[in-house]
Amino acid sequence: MTARIGDVVLGPGRPRICVPLTGATTDALVAEAAAVPPDVADLVELRIDRFADVDDVVSVREAVAAVRAALDDRLPLLFTLRTAAEGGGAQPSPEALRALLVDAAGLDGVAAVDVEAALPADLVGAVVAAAHTVGKPVVTSFHDLVGTPARQAIVERLVAQQALGADVVKLACTPTGPEDVLTLLAATRDYAARPDARPAITMAMGPLGVVSRLAGEAFGSAVTFGAVGAASAPGQVDAARLRDALELIHAAR
């Protein structure tokens, strides 16, 4: 099964490269957006949790419009608010988060919305419904900041995200040894082999997990994150060098 974010198709083949924007001001976000090379990135993530005025819906709308204007037209925009509980920079109330994500789903400049699977089910459902009503996909996500779930537990988490209405499922974990990276890769392969699988994004964070950011085509992860400038997560690598590596692996396959 495939999913489409803007004109970018997620599915088998070379993983798509997503570049996060993490500036705290509109000007900083615009500068980051303008620096993203369209021949390196496939899509861009607006990490609005790092935005200083994240509590002001009007300011967020203006930031989205400014970022969209600064980006190459070929690069669709994924709107994400990563909560502090999952490694992000903000912790709004459930009511505020719901309002922000539902509003973002309706913005012309937003091609898809990320919502954390661990949030209250009614909040997740409201975001999924708002996005689907206007024909936009939803990425549901889960981040384990302390360890790596067991192989079957990873598969079960991804399957549970499908039940929430996800078009794309995502899981990131923290390996404490090489065996955890192998667990993540094996679970990704298990999930991708299911006939009902959605496009998946998986990664092991930190230096140990860098290989998982490169091996998506072999194991079934459809997107990987690369940095243009400062990294937004542990183990994230330079987007241009990442693309070279992915192209090399793709050609070999």
Side-chain angles (χ1 to χ4, degrees), residues 112-202:
V113 178
D114 177 297
V115 60
E116 292 171 2
L119 292 167
D122 62 331
L123 189 162
V124 177
V127 175
V128 170
H132 286 175
T133 296
V134 293
K136 297 178 183 178
V138 175
V139 179
T140 57
S141 56
F142 171 75
H143 298 74
D144 189 327
L145 304 181
V146 297
T148 299
R151 178 171 172 175
Q152 185 57 32
I154 292 173
V155 176
E156 289 171 356
R157 281 190 176 275
L158 296 174
V159 171
Q161 289 183 29
Q162 290 183 204
L164 296 172
D167 302 284
V168 181
V169 297
K170 179 184 177 185
L171 184 143
C173 59
T174 304
T176 58
E179 63 281 357
D180 286 343
V181 181
L182 295 176
T183 294
L184 183 278
L185 293 173
T188 302
R189 184 67 257 164
D190 290 346
Y191 174 76
R194 293 173 56 92
D196 61 342
R198 308 287 194 271
I201 305 170
T202 66

Side-chain angles (χ1 to χ4, degrees), residues 19-23 25-41 43-46 63-75 77 227-229:
V19 172
L21 309 179
T22 59
T25 66
T26 298
D27 287 346
L29 288 169
V30 166
E32 290 179 9
V36 178
D39 58 341
V40 169
L43 60 157
V44 169
E45 180 183 43
L46 175 55
V64 169
V67 166
R68 180 66 268 169
L71 284 174
D72 187 279
D73 291 342
R74 291 167 286 179
L75 297 174
L77 190 64
V228 174

